[in-house]
Amino acid sequence: HIYIKSFLRIDGFGNKIDCMEEIVKKYGLLYSADLKCVLGIDSASDEFTGIVPNGAERIAEDALSCCSGKNISLPDSVVSAGANMFCGCKSLKKIEMPYEIDGFSEGLFAECTSLEEIPFRAGIKTLPEGVFDCCTSLLSLVIPDSVEKICSGAIAGCSSLTTIVLPASLKEIAADAIADCPVLSRIRISEENA
């Protein structure tokens, strides 16, 4: 099924531009016309099982936010994940990420209050702002050796987090990168970084 979405876009000069975009509904998801970008979940369908089919290369900003599923699986074809992609998925317990992804985006796992572990993948260099904001079921966080930078508020409001392991590759960490984690009692820093 192909649908046309009409919307207004503001250009760089403040002018309103009428835009139209083809949206394809398939597998309980909304896709771009070329089926390469997942735009969201089709709220009129109950087909989405938590598995994004192979072939999608990008997941748009907020595309899977507030999803009620407990498990979500992204195929290895996905290389780009938009900001706040899983934001507010309060029932989400398990995420299968592609083997390689170009990076974690801002607020990627924010408010995933049932998520107990983070599926880090090869090549993640930065933990951006709010990436783990209010992940209240997260108990420990072992940051992989590829991470070089942790931004402001990246790990905040994680009320069950007790342990963080920082990698030897870490070059920069914002003063407020880790905040409002009241039971955090252990931060282990790689000996190479001491």
Side-chain angles (χ1 to χ4, degrees), residues 30-139:
L30 304 174
Y31 287 91
S32 59
D34 64 0
L35 299 176
K36 299 290 184 189
C37 183
V38 175
L39 303 171
I41 296 173
D42 181 359
S43 60
S45 170
D46 60 359
E47 281 185 75
F48 182 57
T49 62
I51 299 171
V52 175
N54 198 31
E57 296 174 359
R58 298 175 312 283
I59 310 290
E61 184 173 321
D62 297 310
L64 303 174
S65 65
C66 298
C67 175
S68 60
K70 291 184 179 180
N71 300 302
I72 293 181
S73 178
L74 302 180
D76 284 340
S77 59
V78 171
V79 294
S80 177
N84 303 310
M85 186 171 71
F86 298 114
C87 183
C89 294
K90 298 190 183 303
S91 299
L92 189 59
K93 289 186 175 272
K94 184 178 181 187
I95 301 170
E96 290 181 33
M97 296 288 281
Y99 180 72
E100 271 191 65
I101 194 158
D102 63 3
F104 282 176
S105 55
E106 285 188 20
L108 184 66
F109 303 106
E111 298 176 32
C112 291
T113 55
S114 297
L115 194 61
E116 295 175 355
E117 63 182 74
I118 302 298
F120 283 109
R121 289 297 183 233
I124 303 297
K125 294 196 180 296
T126 300
L127 296 184
E129 187 175 327
V131 69
F132 304 124
D133 186 39
C134 295
C135 291
T136 56
S137 294
L138 195 60
L139 300 175

Side-chain angles (χ1 to χ4, degrees), residues 136-155:
T136 56
S137 294
L138 195 60
L139 300 175
S140 66
L141 192 57
V142 178
I143 299 171
D145 287 333
S146 59
V147 173
E148 297 176 351
K149 179 179 179 181
I150 303 176
C151 297
S152 175
I155 306 163

Side-chain angles (χ1 to χ4, degrees), residues 139-142 161-165 183-188:
L139 300 175
S140 66
L141 192 57
V142 178
L161 186 65
T162 61
T163 305
I164 297 176
V165 179
V183 297
L184 181 61
S185 58
R186 196 168 116 167
I187 298 176
R188 194 174 94 213

